Amino acid sequence: MDVSYARDHLPVVKSAKQHKRRHTEEKPKTCQVCRRSFRNCSNLHKHMKTHTGDKPYKCKVCDKSFTQGSHLKDHLRVHTGDKPYKCLVCRIPFAHKSNLTVHMRKHTGDRPYTCKLCQKSFIQGCHLKDHMKVHTKEKPYKCKLCEKSFSRFNHMKDHMKVHTGDKPYKCQVCQMSFAQNSNLTKHTRKHAGDQPYKCKLCEESFIERGSLKHHMRLHRPYNCKLCQKSFVKGSHLKDHMRVHNGQKPYKCQVCQMAFAHKGNLTRHMRKHTAEELHNCKLCQRSFTDGSSLRDHMKGHTRQKPHNCMNFCHKSCMKMLRSTEEKPNKCDGCVAINKKMLLGVKRPFIARSYGCGICNELFETDQHFLKHCKNHRNTPPDELFIDVFRTVL
């Protein structure tokens, strides 16, 4: 090695050794408490303060204390408003270099943290950690007022504003206030005319990501080559193809029954575990899946939306689908037709749900059921009035 280079760049031999560890990823210094490893003694010494609770660096403005001087230096930017790290693409400034690093991944599309169970990837490690709770169904954060539980602390923090009525985020243009900063961000786009979410298939643009997602359903870019059905997502088309190839990759470990879709297996497993998640609010019956509950609710509301259009116009609660082997038989006209009762709804009738106690009308059964809580002591059959309106 050139002596002049060593003198200028590696002043002592110890520094050269430590520098070489960056390339070899050697970490010879180990914490005796948690067995975490470090490249040098100074990093280990800083880490030990997390176990001892020693925080010698204190902020003179708010009395917060820190284990390292660099952390205090970063914290002081909260008070000074200094943001020295600026994005070269969109010019957004940041107070911390780590925040800029994470932000740059939005431009590069880099998502280094991948879930091993579903292959979903994330920009930050904390997002992956929160995502894993979806698989484990862990919700450690509980609201003390209504006992709702959440997988993330910030979700519970946002939820608490429902109880307190706190709306700290105010629009500088119209003075409208919001409980969440994200809602204020969406609102300000209306004033600025900003529509960052653009459709790649047409020239439509939207203020919110959800609006773009809803719009994409109109395009349905993924088409089945066998039956010409179209889908919003490629994953939906992939699931649909199992109808044609007969593939059933999801197998029940109890009875060995196989299913084409994971959701069908999940619903089937509830039969073995006797788990019933969907409860009727009127009669307290419970069901293993939402579709069974919806069919059951038609018994309370006497809703029969599916007609025998070709023959007798009899109405049925359930939509019947036929095959060549099992054609549908209508009890009203004793006719057999494989095209009968395919869910064609009345095109000229709109239905309202009327309360038999106070004569209020509701457009949907959900609104009607919510209203029924005001008449808890009244039998369900006395509450419902079937009201039809002709749509011109």
Side-chain angles (χ1 to χ4, degrees):
M1 181 184 287
D2 185 21
V3 176
S4 61
Y5 178 88
R7 185 176 60 250
D8 295 336
H9 295 83
L10 305 172
V12 291
V13 177
K14 186 178 179 181
S15 298
K17 285 182 179 179
Q18 290 178 1
H19 172 78
K20 192 177 290 184
R21 288 170 189 160
R22 294 186 178 183
H23 301 293
T24 60
E25 296 186 1
E26 183 186 359
K27 294 180 179 181
K29 309 298 179 181
T30 304
C31 173
Q32 298 301 314
V33 180
C34 64
R35 311 306 298 173
R36 193 175 171 185
S37 301
F38 299 89
R39 291 193 186 96
N40 51 55
C41 289
S42 62
N43 289 347
L44 174 60
H45 180 69
K46 291 173 185 176
H47 165 77
M48 288 304 297
K49 291 174 184 176
T50 60
H51 296 300
T52 60
D54 185 22
K55 294 182 178 181
Y57 303 96
K58 292 185 178 180
C59 174
K60 295 179 181 180
V61 180
C62 66
D63 294 328
K64 268 195 173 183
S65 55
F66 302 89
T67 56
Q68 298 180 34
S70 59
H71 293 174
L72 172 61
K73 190 177 178 180
D74 288 342
H75 165 76
L76 283 170
R77 294 183 188 131
V78 174
H79 302 297
T80 62
D82 186 26
K83 295 182 178 181
Y85 304 101
K86 191 172 283 187
C87 174
L88 298 175
V89 180
C90 63
R91 313 305 297 172
I92 292 179
F94 296 91
H96 309 294
K97 189 177 180 180
S98 58
N99 292 346
L100 174 60
T101 303
V102 172
H103 169 79
M104 287 305 296
R105 290 171 187 159
K106 294 180 180 180
H107 295 299
T108 61
D110 184 26
R111 290 173 172 262
Y113 302 96
T114 304
C115 174
K116 295 179 181 179
L117 296 175
C118 67
Q119 305 307 310
K120 201 172 183 180
S121 55
F122 301 88
I123 291 174
Q124 291 179 264
C126 60
H127 293 171
L128 172 60
K129 191 176 179 180
D130 287 337
H131 165 77
M132 290 307 295
K133 293 170 186 173
V134 174
H135 297 297
T136 60
K137 296 182 179 179
E138 182 186 357
K139 292 184 177 181
Y141 306 102
K142 290 186 178 180
C143 173
K144 295 179 181 179
L145 296 175
C146 67
E147 296 186 353
K148 265 195 172 183
S149 55
F150 303 88
S151 57
R152 299 183 187 180
F153 175 75
N154 60 327
H155 289 178
M156 187 191 73
K157 195 176 177 182
D158 288 339
H159 164 77
M160 287 304 295
K161 293 168 187 172
V162 174
H163 299 297
T164 61
D166 186 25
K167 294 183 178 182
Y169 304 101
K170 187 172 283 189
C171 174
Q172 299 300 316
V173 180
C174 65
Q175 304 305 310
M176 196 171 177
S177 55
F178 300 88
Q180 298 179 27
N181 189 31
S182 58
N183 292 340
L184 173 61
T185 303
K186 293 172 188 175
H187 171 79
T188 51
R189 288 173 188 157
K190 294 178 181 179
H191 295 301
D194 185 23
Q195 295 182 328
Y197 302 101
K198 295 181 179 179
C199 176
K200 296 179 181 179
L201 300 176
C202 67
E203 295 182 357
E204 286 272 355
S205 56
F206 303 90
I207 293 173
E208 299 180 32
R209 189 192 301 271
S211 301
L212 173 60
K213 195 174 180 181
H214 183 75
H215 165 79
M216 288 303 295
R217 295 173 186 167
L218 301 175
H219 291 299
R220 293 181 172 266
Y222 301 96
N223 300 313
C224 174
K225 295 179 181 179
L226 298 175
C227 68
Q228 305 306 314
K229 267 194 173 184
S230 56
F231 301 89
V232 178
K233 296 182 180 180
S235 58
H236 294 173
L237 173 60
K238 188 177 179 181
D239 288 343
H240 165 76
M241 290 306 295
R242 294 182 187 134
V243 175
H244 299 297
N245 58 35
Q247 188 181 4
K248 294 182 178 181
Y250 302 100
K251 189 172 284 188
C252 174
Q253 299 300 315
V254 180
C255 64
Q256 304 304 310
M257 196 172 179
F259 299 89
H261 308 293
K262 189 177 181 180
N264 293 344
L265 173 60
T266 303
R267 284 190 289 272
H268 167 79
M269 287 303 296
R270 291 176 189 152
K271 295 179 180 179
H272 296 300
T273 60
E275 185 180 10
E276 296 180 333
L277 301 176
H278 304 273
N279 301 316
C280 175
K281 296 178 181 178
L282 292 177
C283 67
Q284 305 306 314
R285 274 191 69 182
S286 54
F287 302 88
T288 56
D289 58 270
S291 60
S292 298
L293 173 60
R294 284 192 293 273
D295 288 339
H296 165 78
M297 287 306 301
K298 292 168 188 174
H300 290 301
T301 61
R302 301 186 184 91
Q303 186 181 4
K304 296 182 179 181
H306 307 291
N307 291 344
C308 173
M309 299 298 289
N310 297 333
F311 297 90
C312 67
H313 296 278
K314 184 179 178 180
S315 302
C316 297
M317 287 183 185
K318 292 185 179 181
M319 178 176 66
L320 301 180
R321 295 189 179 276
S322 66
T323 62
E324 293 292 339
E325 297 80 14
K326 296 182 179 180
N328 290 317
K329 184 176 181 179
C330 177
D331 295 329
C333 57
V334 200
I336 295 177
N337 184 353
K338 66 180 181 179
K339 293 182 179 179
M340 191 185 302
L341 301 174
L342 289 180
V344 183
K345 295 185 180 180
R346 297 180 179 91
F348 50 88
I349 295 293
R351 190 187 202 96
S352 291
Y353 299 87
C355 176
I357 305 299
C358 56
N359 297 321
E360 275 196 62
L361 294 179
F362 303 90
E363 292 295 325
T364 64
D365 57 345
Q366 288 91 346
H367 292 160
F368 169 67
L369 291 173
K370 190 174 182 180
H371 169 77
C372 283
K373 293 178 182 178
N374 299 326
H375 310 295
R376 294 181 186 275
N377 298 325
T378 307
D381 292 339
E382 294 180 19
L383 279 174
F384 180 70
I385 301 175
D386 212 358
V387 182
F388 291 96
R389 295 178 289 107
T390 305
V391 177
L392 300 177

